[in-house]
Amino acid sequence: EAGVTQFPSHSVIEKGQTVTLRCDPISGHDNLYWYRRVMGKEIKFLLHFVKESKQDESGMPNNRFLAERTGGTYSTLKVQPAELEDSGVYFCASSQLTGTSGRDEQFFGPGTRLTVL
Amino acid sequence: DAKTTQPNSMESNEEEPVHLPCNHSTISGTDYIHWYRQLPSQGPEYVIHGLTSNVNNRMASLAIAEDRKSSTLILHRATLRDAAVYYCILNAGGTSYGKLTFGQGTILTVHP
């Protein structure tokens, strides 16, 4: 079974440009999450989809970030316009269980390393 | 989410057991205790989780204190591949059930 995949693995852009990151979750996983680690900081939650709906977007830093999950399959995270402080590693994760228990395990992708110059 | 406290770093020798502690004195009754680890240049990887009872799986064991205010992740025989950052995370469920709050974690070094 394929794991969570992310594309691209690396992206280097200039300040002010737009970048779109893609995540393909494990097949059949209704939950999809985005996290990021900026330089020297801890991994931070960004948002959580259940199918195509946003369950929790409390971690999205500002309106330059737009996440979508059309059709409840893959997800994209667009940063527009990118700023220097957006540099870091963006992780996607997926999980299978629905409901509100805290027992679900999340499967992470390898991450996309974003560098904004 | 309730806060966890872990040592910044620990060291072990290969093929020896490793006990990674975690304090979570403000844990609530519905908080699940999760452990993830992150190997160099990879995404976090689920290790184990539990609620009240001790748990075993192919990767590790989780020992939970009777009052649930602390837990210990046990790697029975450390290998070089176990060198990673280990995160102890509480998940309360509810409306934010998917939100994992990562702390600094414990950097585990395994010596050959």
Side-chain angles (χ1 to χ4, degrees):
Chain A
E1 180 183 303
V4 176
T5 57
Q6 294 187 243
F7 182 83
S9 56
H10 293 84
S11 181
V12 181
I13 61 172
E14 294 194 352
K15 176 183 173 182
Q17 290 186 324
T18 298
V19 63
T20 300
L21 313 181
R22 173 172 169 142
C23 169
D24 286 79
I26 293 173
S27 177
H29 282 193
D30 286 339
N31 298 291
L32 186 148
Y33 316 85
W34 285 98
Y35 294 82
R36 74 171 181 176
R37 182 203 296 272
V38 296
M39 184 66 71
K41 301 287 188 179
E42 298 161 2
I43 299 172
K44 293 290 190 184
F45 167 86
L46 296 178
L47 89 160
H48 170 199
F49 284 100
V50 178
K51 297 184 180 179
E52 66 275 9
S53 300
K54 292 176 183 175
Q55 168 74 18
D56 182 354
E57 52 184 331
S58 61
M60 293 290 266
N62 52 61
N63 59 11
R64 295 187 294 104
F65 289 76
L66 174 64
E68 295 180 320
R69 192 183 183 196
T70 307
T73 55
Y74 71 91
S75 174
T76 58
L77 180 65
K78 179 189 289 187
V79 185
Q80 179 182 31
E83 299 289 345
L84 300 179
E85 63 265 26
D86 301 330
S87 294
V89 183
Y90 290 75
F91 295 105
C92 175
S94 71
S95 70
Q96 188 170 31
L97 297 180
T98 54
T100 56
S101 160
R103 62 187 173 94
D104 200 13
E105 61 182 270
Q106 297 184 16
F107 297 84
F108 284 77
T112 293
R113 180 172 296 276
L114 174 64
T115 302
V116 182
L117 302 175
Chain B
D1 287 328
K3 186 176 173 59
T4 64
T5 305
Q6 301 177 248
N8 290 333
S9 63
M10 292 186 66
E11 297 187 17
S12 173
N13 294 318
E14 202 174 8
E15 299 191 4
E16 289 185 354
V18 181
H19 291 232
L20 297 166
C22 180
N23 288 318
H24 28 78
S25 58
T26 60
I27 191 170
S28 71
T30 57
D31 284 337
Y32 279 81
I33 302 162
H34 288 253
W35 284 82
Y36 283 77
R37 70 181 185 181
Q38 187 175 20
L39 280 65
S41 302
Q42 296 188 25
E45 175 186 31
Y46 167 82
V47 178
I48 199 166
H49 77 273
L51 184 61
T52 56
S53 303
N54 295 344
V55 184
N56 300 295
N57 66 21
R58 64 175 180 81
M59 290 181 69
S61 295
L62 176 60
I64 301 173
E66 195 169 334
D67 64 4
R68 300 209 326 126
K69 293 186 177 182
S70 66
S71 61
T72 302
L73 179 69
I74 302 166
L75 307 179
H76 295 286
R77 291 183 65 199
T79 68
L80 296 178
R81 194 194 172 278
D82 291 321
V85 182
Y86 285 79
Y87 299 97
C88 171
I89 300 170
L90 301 183
N91 192 336
T95 55
S96 297
Y97 68 90
K99 180 178 180 180
L100 296 180
T101 301
F102 288 83
Q104 299 278 14
T106 296
I107 300 171
L108 176 65
T109 301
V110 180
H111 299 288

